[in-house]
């Protein structure tokens, strides 16, 4: 099969160094070691150290490893919510977290915007009695970005809630505020450019305290498999309860190290440059228009364009070996979604632009 380049918003193109890290892992037996061995504990400690630096999280936060962000949604609701949760919903992913709250009987409150519209501080209320507020930093379904200051404002007005920030398609691009963010989580197959099957949550002491108080009140209805409190006990020993995705944890540590070597400011700069190229091109294109028209809410990592020629454009790119996303759900035939992650080179971004720019007849 010819090499194809994935500009889909996840799974997406692998970070350039992943292939060689997989080779090294195979040679050194990473895929066969016991998860109780000292070799594993060293890998775990390395990944956690690198990730804490990359997130910029305070030392007293604990990093926990899950199978997906869907799993993290379930755990947060089970372990930190008994009276109710608040969900800022403006797309398919934020909606799904809210629907998990419904299914688990957690009395979720939905604060809703039309798809394509972002949240501002005027949408924040005081949420008495409710324990958790969910913020989706980058709605990958619609390309709407919510500024990190929003989380800070939620926390300032509601110091007792657990703020849970979905950074699946914005980490490590967005710079988050701590300790205003209690739980920052993401899956590795989007911005981090890794194979799917692993998700990470950085959890604050406050979030553990909320879980602890629910346990003491016998309202902590967690699953026997993963709970925040039990996972923390294992994490403190650089271990997991189950046999984890050892290769995934290994690769995450290596890629985090590579990103730190490159420098987060460089990664942010390149992301901004590529986003500017794509948005300018969309603006100038006769058949296209940015879906998110308020600049502050237009995502830099998932760029969504309304297009009159989705089918034709997807096909033209495919002929060049480039795969972009179509619209999510009901927008399937109306939008192009182009991921702009650290793994995506500027050269390939230009290739997208060149391939889809109509030739002017003078
Ligand atoms: C992809 C995505 C998820 C779900 O991630 P999984 O790893 O499939 O659980 C959640 N939130 C956002 C914003 C996403 O883009």
């Amino acid at each position: 099969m010819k090499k194809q380049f994935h500009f889909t918003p996840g799974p997406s193109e692998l970070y350039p160094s992943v292939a060689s890290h997989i080779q090294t892992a195979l040679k050194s037996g990473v895929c066969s070691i016991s998860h109780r061995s000292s070799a594993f504990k060293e890998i775990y400690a390395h990944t956690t150290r690198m990730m804490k630096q990359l997130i910029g999280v305070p030392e007293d936060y604990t990093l926990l490893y899950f199978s997906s962000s869907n799993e993290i949604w379930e755990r947060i609701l089970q372990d930190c919510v008994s009276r109710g949760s608040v969900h800022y919903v403006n797309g398919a992913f934020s909606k799904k977290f809210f629907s998990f709250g419904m299914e688990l009987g957690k009395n979720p409150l939905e604060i809703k915007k039309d798809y394509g519209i972002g949240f501002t501080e005027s949408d924040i209320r005081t949420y008495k009695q409710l324990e958790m507020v969910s913020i989706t930093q980058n709605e990958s379904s619609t390309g709407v970005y919510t500024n990190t200051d929003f989380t800070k404002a939620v926390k300032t007005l509601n110091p007792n809630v657990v703020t849970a920030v979905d950074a699946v398609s914005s980490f490590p691009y967005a710079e988050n505020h701590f300790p205003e963010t209690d739980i920052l989580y993401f899956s590795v197959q989007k911005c981090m450019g890794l194979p799917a099957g692993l998700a990470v949550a950085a959890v604050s002491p406050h979030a553990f305290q909320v879980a602890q108080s629910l346990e003491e009140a016998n309202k902590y209805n967690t699953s026997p498999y993963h709970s925040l409190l039990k996972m923390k006990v294992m994490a403190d020993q650089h271990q997991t309860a189950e046999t984890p995705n050892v290769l995934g944890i290994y690769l995450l540590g290596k890629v985090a190290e590579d990103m730190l070597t490159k420098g987060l400011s460089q990664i942010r700069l390149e992301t901004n440059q590529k986003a500017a190229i794509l948005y300018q091109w969309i603006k100038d294109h006769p058949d296209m228009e940015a879906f998110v028209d308020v600049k502050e809410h237009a995502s830099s990592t998932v760029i969504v364009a309304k297009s009159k020629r989705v089918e034709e454009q997807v096909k033209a790119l495919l002929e060049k070996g480039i795969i972009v996303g179509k619209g999510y759900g009901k927008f399937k035939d109306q939008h192009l979604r182009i991921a702009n992650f650290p793994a995506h080179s500027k050269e390939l971004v230009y290739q997208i632009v060149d391939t889809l720019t109509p030739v002017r007849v003078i």
Side-chain angles (χ1 to χ4, degrees):
M1 198 165 88
K2 198 167 144 253
K3 166 75 187 151
Q4 289 181 320
F5 298 95
H6 285 83
F7 277 74
T8 37
S12 200
E13 197 59 23
L14 295 180
Y15 197 69
S17 58
V18 171
S20 79
H21 291 314
I22 291 178
Q23 292 287 338
T24 312
L26 289 174
K27 277 190 215 137
S28 58
V30 165
C31 301
S32 308
I33 59 171
S34 159
H35 58 299
R36 300 286 171 242
S37 66
S38 60
F40 174 74
K41 286 188 211 170
E42 272 171 38
I43 291 171
Y44 188 107
H46 175 261
T47 300
T48 297
R49 201 165 58 243
M50 292 300 135
M51 285 310 303
K52 278 192 165 182
Q53 271 189 52
L54 200 65
I55 303 172
V57 83
E59 257 316 300
D60 58 359
Y61 276 54
T62 304
L63 254 56
L64 302 176
Y65 299 95
F66 300 83
S67 62
S68 68
S69 291
N70 272 255
E71 192 202 341
I72 294 174
W73 290 336
E74 189 174 290
R75 299 300 165 238
I76 295 174
L77 286 161
Q78 285 179 320
D79 296 0
C80 297
V81 181
S82 80
R83 293 186 299 267
S85 54
V86 181
H87 298 256
Y88 286 98
V89 173
N90 62 348
F93 290 104
S94 42
K95 179 92 193 168
K96 197 168 176 195
F97 192 5
F98 166 76
S99 72
F100 274 31
M102 296 287 282
E103 282 184 52
L104 288 170
K106 294 290 184 175
N107 189 28
L109 170 70
E110 183 182 28
I111 300 177
K112 211 168 150 184
K113 291 261 171 175
D114 281 344
Y115 285 15
I117 310 293
F119 289 102
T120 60
E121 293 187 17
S122 63
D123 299 311
I124 303 171
R125 304 275 176 274
T126 44
Y127 305 112
K128 293 214 180 79
Q129 300 293 319
L130 306 180
E131 292 119 334
M132 189 274 289
V133 176
S134 155
I135 297 149
T136 305
Q137 193 159 70
N138 199 63
E139 237 312 338
S140 322
S141 61
T142 52
V144 181
Y145 180 72
T146 297
N147 193 295
T148 54
D149 288 343
F150 185 81
T151 308
K152 206 170 170 175
V154 166
K155 189 72 171 182
T156 306
L157 214 54
N158 299 278
N160 295 325
V161 302
V162 170
T163 48
V165 174
D166 177 337
V168 177
S169 59
S170 49
F171 178 81
Y173 169 74
E175 216 166 333
N176 286 281
H177 300 287
F178 297 101
E180 289 86 353
T181 305
D182 285 297
I183 303 180
L184 184 91
Y185 63 93
F186 61 90
S187 308
V188 302
Q189 75 274 17
K190 307 226 170 146
C191 251
M192 287 300 289
L194 286 158
L198 183 68
V200 181
V203 183
S204 72
H206 174 64
F208 286 117
Q209 276 157 18
V210 171
Q212 187 71 47
S213 63
L214 292 190
E215 184 176 56
E216 282 158 17
N218 281 328
K219 286 178 177 162
Y220 185 69
N221 64 347
T222 190
S223 78
Y225 165 46
H226 267 173
S227 78
L228 298 184
L229 292 174
K230 279 190 277 178
M231 289 174 86
K232 183 177 182 336
V233 174
M234 297 305 288
D236 287 344
Q237 303 162 48
H238 305 312
Q239 288 190 59
T240 52
E242 79 290 10
T243 318
N245 181 349
V246 178
L247 179 62
I249 293 172
Y250 171 85
L251 294 174
L252 178 65
K254 292 293 176 188
V255 166
E257 189 174 354
D258 295 338
M259 287 182 173
L260 287 165
T261 305
K262 177 165 182 159
L264 269 176
S265 55
Q266 183 62 24
I267 288 175
R268 289 179 180 134
L269 181 78
E270 288 176 9
T271 305
N272 287 337
Q273 286 172 343
K274 291 181 292 166
I277 294 165
L278 287 166
Y279 278 120
Q280 186 61 45
W281 162 68
I282 290 166
K283 190 163 171 246
D284 294 342
H285 197 292
D287 301 319
M288 292 166 88
E289 203 183 317
F291 179 54
V292 181
D293 48 17
V294 176
K295 197 160 181 282
E296 302 86 82
H297 290 139
S299 167
S300 299
T301 48
V302 179
I303 285 130
V304 179
K306 284 194 270 187
S307 172
K308 294 183 189 143
R309 301 176 180 273
V310 171
E311 206 60 51
E312 190 186 313
Q313 291 176 318
V314 167
K315 202 162 155 249
L317 288 172
L318 193 58
E319 278 166 19
K320 297 274 172 76
I322 295 174
I323 301 170
V324 295
K326 284 180 157 190
Y328 205 92
K330 64 181 176 188
F331 299 115
K332 190 168 178 283
D333 300 318
Q334 300 162 41
H335 292 177
L336 281 186
R337 287 185 308 141
I338 305 174
N340 176 27
F341 297 156
H344 296 118
S345 72
K346 206 185 217 178
E347 289 68 31
L348 282 169
V349 166
Y350 275 124
Q351 205 173 327
I352 294 177
V353 168
D354 290 345
T355 306
L356 300 188
T357 300
V359 181
R360 278 173 213 264
V361 183
I362 306 169

